[in-house]
């Protein structure tokens, strides 16, 4: 059965603004200053994050387009902003932001983890991110960002607790706890495993299984 999980694009003030690129204040959509390009080439990625922030994790994807996926923060968790930016290198050697989001401090995000792999079947690595807000259920927000040459867009978003999502063999593998009304939080009655596959416009659930959580 086809399913689609994606975000509603924010209203764009002008037709030239990409709704998938929500950059923090002060970060330009294109980095083309010669001195900043030299810093990036030397491995200093400071020009690619907000002033005063530090980058937490980086993933470099090189085929067929050079990309840098950066997560950043600007304070002490959980009272800090966090964000993710996908930069692509253009033919003229400049760097352009093709996707970005920012979590305000009030969300209480501890950090953002990133996994990469092709889930759209175009031989270009896509991005699975998780914004960790903690709690006993390891709650947070999962997103899948599909990348292509010159662009990137969010094609999946899910807020969840007690859930694991991973890229596996080009699909999304999901494992989530299933609780009955009288289950303590430590011990769900079962786990549901499912596999989602992108069909070009939405997600198809190609398998699903509920496994009781108990002694063999």
């Amino acid at each position: 059965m086809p399913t689609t999980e994606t975000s509603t694009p924010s209203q764009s003030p002008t037709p030239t603004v990409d709704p998938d690129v929500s950059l923090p204040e002060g970060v330009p959509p294109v980095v083309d200053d010669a001195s900043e390009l030299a810093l990036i080439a030397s491995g200093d990625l400071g020009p690619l994050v907000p002033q005063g922030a530090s980058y937490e994790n980086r993933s470099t994807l090189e085929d067929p387009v050079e990309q840098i996926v950066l997560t950043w923060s600007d304070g002490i968790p959980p009272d800090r902003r966090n964000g993710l930016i996908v930069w692509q290198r253009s033919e003229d050697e400049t760097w352009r932001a093709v996707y970005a989001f920012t979590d305000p401090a009030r969300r209480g995000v501890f950090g953002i983890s990133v996994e990469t792999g092709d889930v759209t079947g175009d031989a270009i690595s896509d991005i699975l991110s998780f914004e960790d807000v903690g709690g006993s259920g390891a709650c947070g927000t999962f997103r899948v960002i599909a990348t292509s040459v010159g662009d990137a867009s969010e094609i999946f978003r899910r807020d969840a607790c007690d859930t694991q999502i991973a890229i596996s063999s080009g699909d999304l593998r999901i494992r989530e706890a299933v609780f009955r009304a009288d289950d303590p939080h430590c011990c769900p009655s079962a786990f549901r495993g499912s596999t989602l596959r992108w069909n070009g416009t939405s997600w198809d659930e190609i398998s699903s299984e509920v496994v009781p959580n108990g002694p063999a």
Side-chain angles (χ1 to χ4, degrees), residues 175-215:
R175 184 177 186 264
E176 52 195 326
V178 178
F179 292 94
R180 288 194 307 231
D182 57 348
D183 284 344
H185 189 258
C186 68
C187 310
S189 294
F191 289 94
R192 180 177 186 267
S194 59
T195 302
L196 302 184
R197 180 169 295 166
W198 183 249
N199 64 22
T201 57
S202 61
W203 295 92
D204 293 325
E205 185 177 88
I206 62 172
S207 68
S208 178
E209 180 183 22
V210 176
V211 178
N213 181 28

Side-chain angles (χ1 to χ4, degrees), residues 51-111:
Q51 186 174 5
S54 59
Y55 54 89
E56 302 288 319
N57 298 290
R58 61 172 288 179
S59 298
T60 303
L61 314 174
E62 296 185 346
D63 189 21
V65 58
E66 187 173 356
Q67 304 185 81
I68 297 177
V69 184
L70 285 179
T71 65
W72 61 269
S73 65
D74 64 357
I76 300 173
D79 300 317
R80 67 180 187 182
R81 294 186 305 161
N82 291 266
L84 180 148
I85 309 175
V86 181
W87 295 93
Q88 288 189 1
R89 194 175 189 181
S90 303
E91 291 183 358
D92 61 4
E93 306 299 316
T94 62
W95 288 92
R96 185 170 73 90
V98 294
Y99 177 87
F101 67 78
T102 301
D103 291 315
R106 65 178 179 273
R107 274 210 67 197
V109 172
F110 287 93

Side-chain angles (χ1 to χ4, degrees), residues 3-7 142 144 154-159 165 174 196 198 201-203:
T3 61
T4 301
E5 300 196 33
T6 185
S7 62
F142 293 92
V144 173
E154 186 176 300
I155 60 173
F156 177 97
R157 185 190 298 188
R158 179 180 293 184
D159 297 322
I165 302 180
I174 302 174
L196 302 184
W198 183 249
T201 57
S202 61
W203 295 92

